[in-house]
């Protein structure tokens, strides 16, 4: 029997293979003389019980090896599992089992993935902690699994502070500079976003902008002309937001860095319109629009003057 598996993470493949009862013999993209190896494994009887042949990442195989596999896999005396992230290639082998990660816009799907990982390691987390892991790992499930496993050694019911302590931020620190430039309505934010999108999915900076918008809206309700360090600390405590982030938004100088007070650049009406734009962009992405283009388009609009 041939089982074509669409998979894009080691974590999901590893958990799938746990359910395979037979011994597994693997052939990798860098395995030498793959045709000779497969010929031996496909057509030889075994003296030591049944086994399953795992052919990994076949999209990376040479054309000659793939052609031989297409012709001979159906003739194998043993079960064959073929893995790839190329759906069209897998369809040539039969009905495809989909183990791929959720679409980037499917936040509910990603939270469910985190739930599954937590269940494997016996860890309980609330929604805030799950979202923190999602944001810090940049929607990379192998990193999520590694970090949740690490947390499980320390605590099976971690607090938010423990999650913050143990899970590093894998996304580039430049993303926080992008948030600042965006809310300063600085046109250079667009170029920085283009660079960021080479490494992170658009929904990551988009979600960060949305959260910052909510924060700016909260702070506009009690805006002052100038902010002292005590003001910054009090706002930080009241809103449960890191002090440097508040200082950055109100233009308080830290480490000699001069910032604009973004509260003077925004009005409630603008924040409300911006939040509507976030919802529109997320809906467009969910309906199949290019996530990079739509995120760049939103940034261009608001860093060129907004409404």
């Amino acid at each position: 029997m041939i089982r074509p598996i669409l998979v894009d993470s080691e974590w999901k493949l590893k958990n799938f293979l746990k359910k395979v009862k037979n011994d597994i013999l693997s052939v990798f993209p860098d395995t030498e003389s793959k045709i000779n190896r497969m010929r031996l494994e496909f057509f030889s009887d075994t003296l030591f019980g049944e086994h399953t042949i795992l052919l990994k990442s076949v999209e990376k195989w040479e054309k000659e090896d793939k052609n031989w596999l297409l012709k001979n896999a159906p003739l194998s005396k043993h079960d064959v599992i073929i893995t790839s992230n190329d759906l069209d290639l897998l369809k040539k082998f039969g009905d495809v089992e989909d183990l791929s990660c959720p679409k980037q816009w499917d936040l509910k799907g990603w939270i469910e993935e985190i739930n599954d990982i937590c269940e494997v390691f016996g860890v309980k987390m609330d929604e805030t902690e799950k979202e923190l892991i999602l944001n810090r790992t940049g929607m990379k499930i192998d990193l999520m699994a590694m970090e949740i496993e690490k947390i499980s050694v320390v605590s099976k019911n971690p607090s938010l502070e423990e999650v913050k302590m143990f899970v590093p931020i894998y996304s580039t620190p430049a993303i926080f500079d992008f948030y600042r430039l965006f809310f300063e309505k600085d046109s250079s934010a667009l170029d920085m976003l283009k660079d960021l999108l080479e490494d992170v999915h658009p929904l990551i900076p988009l979600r960060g902008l949305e959260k910052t918008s909510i924060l700016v809206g909260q702070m506009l309700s009690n805006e002052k002309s100038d902010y002292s360090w005590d003001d910054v600390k009090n706002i930080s405590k009241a809103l449960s937001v890191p002090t440097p982030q508040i200082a950055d938004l109100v233009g308080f100088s830290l480490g000699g860095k001069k910032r604009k007070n973004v509260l003077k650049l925004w009005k409630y009406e603008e924040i409300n319109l911006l939040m509507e734009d976030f919802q529109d962009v997320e809906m467009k992405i969910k309906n199949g629009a290019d996530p990079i283009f739509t995120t760049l388009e939103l940034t261009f609009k608001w860093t060129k003057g907004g409404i």
Side-chain angles (χ1 to χ4, degrees), residues 26-68:
S26 301
V27 181
F28 301 93
D30 59 354
T31 298
E32 295 183 0
S33 303
K34 281 191 280 294
I35 291 178
N36 289 335
R37 174 71 184 275
M38 287 187 291
R39 185 180 289 116
L40 176 65
E41 302 297 353
F42 282 8
F43 306 124
S44 298
D45 293 317
T46 176
L47 300 177
F48 304 101
E50 188 57 60
H51 64 260
T52 295
I53 303 164
L54 171 65
L55 308 178
K56 289 196 66 177
S57 303
V58 294
E59 78 279 359
K60 298 178 181 178
W61 289 24
E62 296 294 335
K63 183 178 181 180
E64 179 185 3
D65 296 330
K66 285 188 280 192
N67 288 340
W68 189 95

Side-chain angles (χ1 to χ4, degrees), residues 22-223:
N22 302 333
D23 290 337
I24 296 175
L25 301 175
S26 301
V27 181
F28 301 93
D30 59 354
T31 298
E32 295 183 0
S33 303
K34 281 191 280 294
I35 291 178
N36 289 335
R37 174 71 184 275
M38 287 187 291
R39 185 180 289 116
L40 176 65
E41 302 297 353
F42 282 8
F43 306 124
S44 298
D45 293 317
T46 176
L47 300 177
F48 304 101
E50 188 57 60
H51 64 260
T52 295
I53 303 164
L54 171 65
L55 308 178
K56 289 196 66 177
S57 303
V58 294
E59 78 279 359
K60 298 178 181 178
W61 289 24
E62 296 294 335
K63 183 178 181 180
E64 179 185 3
D65 296 330
K66 285 188 280 192
N67 288 340
W68 189 95
L69 179 61
L70 279 166
K71 181 180 179 180
N72 290 278
L75 306 177
S76 174
K77 293 183 178 182
H78 309 283
D79 289 344
V80 179
I81 296 173
I82 302 174
T83 74
S84 177
N85 58 17
D86 185 336
L87 179 59
D88 291 333
L89 175 59
L90 288 172
K91 285 180 177 179
K92 297 177 182 179
F93 295 96
D95 294 335
V96 178
E97 297 178 55
D98 189 354
L99 297 182
S100 58
C101 293
K103 301 297 184 184
Q104 295 285 2
W105 50 261
D106 185 9
L107 296 182
K108 181 180 178 180
W110 281 105
I111 295 298
E112 290 175 354
E113 293 288 354
I114 293 178
N115 289 339
D116 291 342
I117 297 171
C118 286
E119 184 175 346
V120 170
F121 294 112
V123 175
K124 293 183 178 180
M125 293 185 184
D126 62 25
E127 293 303 305
T128 302
E129 292 161 356
K130 294 171 188 174
E131 289 184 5
L132 178 64
I133 287 179
L134 185 61
N135 291 332
R136 290 198 168 190
T137 57
M139 295 184 177
K140 294 180 174 63
I141 196 166
D142 290 331
L143 286 178
M144 293 176 192
M146 180 180 72
E147 293 302 329
I148 292 173
E149 181 180 15
K150 185 171 67 177
I151 289 171
S152 71
V153 176
V154 179
S155 174
K156 298 296 185 183
N157 191 13
S159 65
L160 180 60
E161 289 305 314
E162 287 175 323
V163 175
K164 288 180 179 179
M165 181 186 304
F166 289 109
V167 180
I169 299 174
Y170 286 94
S171 55
T172 171
I175 199 167
F176 299 104
D177 291 329
F178 163 67
Y179 298 155
R180 176 178 52 79
L181 289 174
F182 182 97
F183 284 96
E184 288 182 357
K185 298 183 178 179
D186 189 323
S187 59
S188 65
L190 188 63
D191 289 330
M192 179 170 284
L193 178 59
K194 291 177 181 177
D195 291 337
L196 284 170
L197 294 182
E198 293 180 4
D199 299 314
V200 300
H201 188 275
L203 273 182
I204 295 175
L206 193 65
R207 284 288 179 175
L209 288 176
E210 190 172 7
K211 289 183 178 180
T212 307
S213 299
I214 295 171
L215 177 59
V216 171
Q218 291 174 317
M219 294 174 67
L220 281 172
S221 65
N222 193 25
E223 183 186 2

